[in-house]
Amino acid sequence: MGDKLQPPPLTDDCFALPAGTEWTPVDSALAEIRRRLRPVVSIETVPLDQALCRVLASDVKALRANPPLPNSAVDGYGMRHDDIVDGPQTLPLVAGRAAAGAPFEGALTAGHAVRVLTGAALPDGVDTVILQEDVTTDGRAIAFHGPLKPGANTRKAGEDVDKGAVILPRARRVTVADLALAAATGHKELTVYQRLRVGVLSTGDELAEAGDMARPDQIYDANRPMVLGAIARFGFTPVDLGRAPDNRQKLRDFLDRAADRCDLILTSGGASAGDEDHLSALLNETGAMALWRIAIKPGRPLALGVWRGTPLFGLPGNPVAALVCTLIFARPAMGLLAGEGWRAPQALHVPAAFTKTKKPGRREYLRARLRDGKAEVFRSEGSGRISGLSWAEGLVELPDGALDIAPGTPVTYYPYSAFGL
Ligand code: AMP
Ligand code: MG
């Protein structure tokens, strides 16, 4: 493992925006992320049984054709098409048979038929098969009606996949069907990117660990279990970095340790420009920070930085904003870093079941779910309302401009599953 080639780290100014950038529209922010990030993980070869959900690091080609030989698609009798006439006829059977994995030895004599079973390689001379239900037989000959189509009930060699054809492209995430295709074409292992290791750190003096004793002025850390869970669902490796207090030196130590263990660091809280926003202050000190003021609700601002070569996304502290930014910005970024390339979530366009007057100037995401084909939204838009995140099954995306929505107005809906959740 030690001699594995590592891609170069991202540069410190990787996320810098041009001077004078004010509010960055969501689409521009995504375009910038897409332009700046590339795979940071190295490559490994894994056996098929460990390849599910991994990201392919190179095109996969068929090592052999599928099927490798012409074979029978049914249980029946094989013959030469040239021997078949129109109307009733009989053909004597030769001794022996062709079964899957037990081929017929020799070649079929002209004017004869041979017993063949599903999946059996066609004996030499056989080009057409008749279904056993369509013949009568006494064990020595078969009687049936012609005509038959040339090649009836047979499968051609390579009709599924030719040898050497690209069966799976680089950057694809391996599915269960892909495992079947790879196995069928001769693969026992696949070359994949190493799993992206994504660290999750919560920041804030007010945070207590879930289930611990909490002072009345403390709240439980809700973001960490949520974001760690999201990373696991995306197919990456979550790394729990714990909670850091609002203390610059301690936070620095947390980030130093994180940079050694992770390919990407996601923090939540402390990302704005307030007195206790130590994350943005620290990244600013090292000159590797860009505060992207993104025209999004909920969610601004998003701190993007590079800590000792490791990219860092500073998510907002509010749990709703933290999840929205994880799905809208961090998820596609992770895909790029992990070698998956760019994957835009697939939206549904559905009628609204709600009323809302949206002001222009920023994109909005509402906690939503589909009922009877219509998008319902949570009763409150407060970004501290975690119950709404749990109520929701996805997000409604409202465009940057103004919009008056009444029941029936078409809206864009992303089920959580569209992001890989
Ligand atoms: P901040 O961005 O640090 O100012 O935090 C914004 C809001 O989110 C504050 O109300 C925080 O208490 C809250 N918050 C920050 N981190 C978390 C967390 N991990 N879990 C739940 N709430 C949080
Ligand atoms: Mg804070």
Side-chain angles (χ1 to χ4, degrees), residues 198 200 223-236 238 266 322-323 326-327 331 334 419-421:
V198 185
V200 178
N223 290 343
R224 218 167 86 245
M226 172 175 72
V227 179
L228 285 168
I231 291 161
R233 290 298 291 254
F234 299 153
F236 306 120
L266 298 182
L323 186 63
T326 298
L327 299 180
R331 173 67 189 90
M334 288 181 219
F419 302 100
L421 272 193

Side-chain angles (χ1 to χ4, degrees), residues 194-199 228 231-232 235-240:
Q194 292 201 317
R195 267 186 216 276
L196 190 76
R197 297 162 305 168
V198 185
L228 285 168
I231 291 161
F236 306 120
T237 301
V239 180
D240 188 351

Side-chain angles (χ1 to χ4, degrees), residues 342-387:
W342 188 255
R343 298 207 323 184
Q346 292 299 301
L348 303 174
H349 299 283
V350 297
F354 61 97
T355 303
K356 180 181 164 73
T357 301
K358 183 193 170 291
K359 297 197 210 75
R362 60 186 180 177
R363 189 162 299 181
E364 282 190 34
Y365 290 92
L366 308 176
R367 281 150 281 179
R369 63 186 194 184
L370 278 192
R371 288 292 179 269
D372 299 326
K374 301 191 188 85
E376 301 178 340
V377 296
F378 191 57
R379 58 189 155 76
S380 157
E381 292 184 15
S383 65
R385 303 277 190 111
I386 304 172
S387 59

Side-chain angles (χ1 to χ4, degrees), residues 201-204 206-208 219-226 243 246 268-272 276-277 301 315-319 322 383-384 386:
L201 178 69
S202 292
T203 71
E206 75 278 34
L207 299 180
I219 60 169
Y220 288 115
D221 178 0
N223 290 343
R224 218 167 86 245
M226 172 175 72
R243 286 172 292 117
D246 286 322
S268 65
S272 311
E276 295 297 337
D277 288 325
L315 303 168
N318 278 308
S383 65
I386 304 172

Side-chain angles (χ1 to χ4, degrees), residues 2 63 168 176 200 225 364 417:
L63 298 177
L168 300 168
V176 291
V200 178
E364 282 190 34
S417 60

Side-chain angles (χ1 to χ4, degrees), residues 378-405:
F378 191 57
R379 58 189 155 76
S380 157
E381 292 184 15
S383 65
R385 303 277 190 111
I386 304 172
S387 59
L389 275 182
S390 167
W391 172 92
E393 295 164 9
L395 299 173
V396 156
E397 179 185 67
L398 301 181
D400 300 0
L403 188 65
D404 276 326
I405 299 157

Side-chain angles (χ1 to χ4, degrees), residues 70-102:
N71 67 53
S72 178
V74 297
D75 290 338
Y77 297 86
M79 55 195 73
R80 283 171 217 273
H81 190 261
D82 283 350
D83 290 337
I84 303 171
V85 295
D86 286 2
Q89 57 201 287
T90 60
L91 288 178
L93 284 170
V94 295
R97 60 169 207 172

